[in-house]
Amino acid sequence: MTPQTPHARPYRGVPADQRRARRRAALLAAGLQLLGTQGWTATTVRRVCAEARLNDRYFYENFPDRDALLLAIIDDQVAQGTAVILSAAREAPRHPQARTRAVVTAVFDFLTTDPRRAHILTHAFPLSPLLQERRVEIIRTMAAIFAAQTHETLDQVTLSDTDLELTGLTLTAGLWELFTTWFRGDLDIDRDRLIDYTVALLLTTTELAAPLHHRLR
């Protein structure tokens, strides 16, 4: 007979894998609370476990170290934000202005409904080399969404895929810094004005595609 790996028994009717998933969720929630209120230096294994009311044994059951937890927190928030962007784009009309405004508004709503997200943007990312590395990947992801939406909403895209990617990277990186500056309180404009500006910038960029292509030939 072939030996079988024993399965952990349910505890109080809850299967082992479900208990582990709950502990992981509790650790992520605790990490988000600390990272989003006190910063990345305060988000230690000990403090996360205390916040989650779990033994550190359960931490290492889910994450090899603190860096893995921090990246998991960021990746979870990025996944939620990406879903918000794609949902807003999907529900908006196939019209550049309407869809751009819907997406930009959705991004601001996502960042402002939970103040911890803005705190992570303005405090955690600039101070953490680990998160700075992840920032590059996030910008590439957002640039790819920009390129896909450009193809989706415009009847003709004159830029090559490479030049469109460069444009998306330039816009995404610039807007990241712009939003960070605004959330930090260093721009004396209100939310509606910043949304209007962002929408206008994105639309103007698509209108400049033809002359940009002409100069690149």
Side-chain angles (χ1 to χ4, degrees):
M1 296 179 63
T2 303
Q4 295 182 352
T5 302
H7 296 283
R9 295 179 180 179
Y11 178 73
R12 294 183 178 178
V14 182
D17 57 348
Q18 188 174 337
R19 296 200 308 273
R20 179 172 178 173
R22 288 179 179 177
R23 290 193 292 266
R24 187 177 191 278
L27 290 166
L28 284 171
L32 175 61
Q33 178 62 21
L34 289 168
L35 186 63
T37 58
Q38 301 181 43
W40 76 282
T41 56
T43 313
T44 63
V45 173
R46 177 178 296 181
R47 294 193 65 182
V48 168
C49 290
E51 179 77 19
R53 298 182 178 181
L54 291 171
N55 188 289
D56 62 356
R57 174 171 71 89
Y58 294 121
F59 181 95
Y60 293 109
E61 176 187 65
N62 289 278
F63 305 101
D65 51 32
R66 184 188 75 145
D67 286 354
L69 170 67
L70 292 176
L71 292 179
I73 294 168
I74 296 302
D75 290 346
D76 180 59
Q77 292 300 307
V78 170
Q80 292 182 45
T82 301
V84 166
I85 290 172
L86 296 177
S87 177
R90 187 167 51 248
E91 295 174 7
R94 185 184 176 275
H95 184 276
Q97 183 167 349
R99 185 166 295 188
T100 301
R101 180 166 292 278
V103 169
V104 172
T105 302
V107 169
F108 271 91
D109 288 345
F110 177 75
L111 292 173
T112 55
T113 51
D114 188 339
R116 295 176 300 182
R117 292 169 180 150
H119 189 276
I120 291 171
L121 184 68
T122 57
H123 292 80
F125 272 99
L127 296 176
S128 169
L130 176 73
L131 298 188
Q132 279 294 308
E133 291 180 10
R134 185 59 107 228
R135 173 182 177 275
V136 175
E137 298 178 22
I138 297 170
I139 287 175
R140 285 192 172 275
T141 298
M142 296 300 107
I145 293 175
F146 168 81
Q149 287 301 311
T150 299
H151 281 292
E152 173 70 23
T153 57
L154 298 182
D155 293 327
Q156 182 180 10
V157 179
T158 55
L159 289 177
S160 67
D161 288 343
T162 298
D163 293 333
L164 184 58
E165 179 184 7
L166 293 175
T167 303
L169 288 171
T170 301
L171 280 171
T172 306
L175 289 174
W176 182 297
E177 294 302 321
L178 178 63
F179 294 169
T180 299
T181 303
W182 184 78
F183 277 110
R184 201 166 49 227
D186 293 338
L187 287 177
D188 188 22
I189 57 174
D190 61 26
R191 177 181 182 274
D192 291 342
R193 175 60 176 168
L194 186 56
I195 289 177
D196 289 343
Y197 172 82
T198 303
V199 172
L201 175 66
L202 292 170
L203 291 174
T204 301
T205 301
T206 60
E207 294 167 359
L208 288 174
L212 179 61
H213 174 69
H214 176 73
R215 287 187 175 275
L216 288 171
R217 286 188 301 177

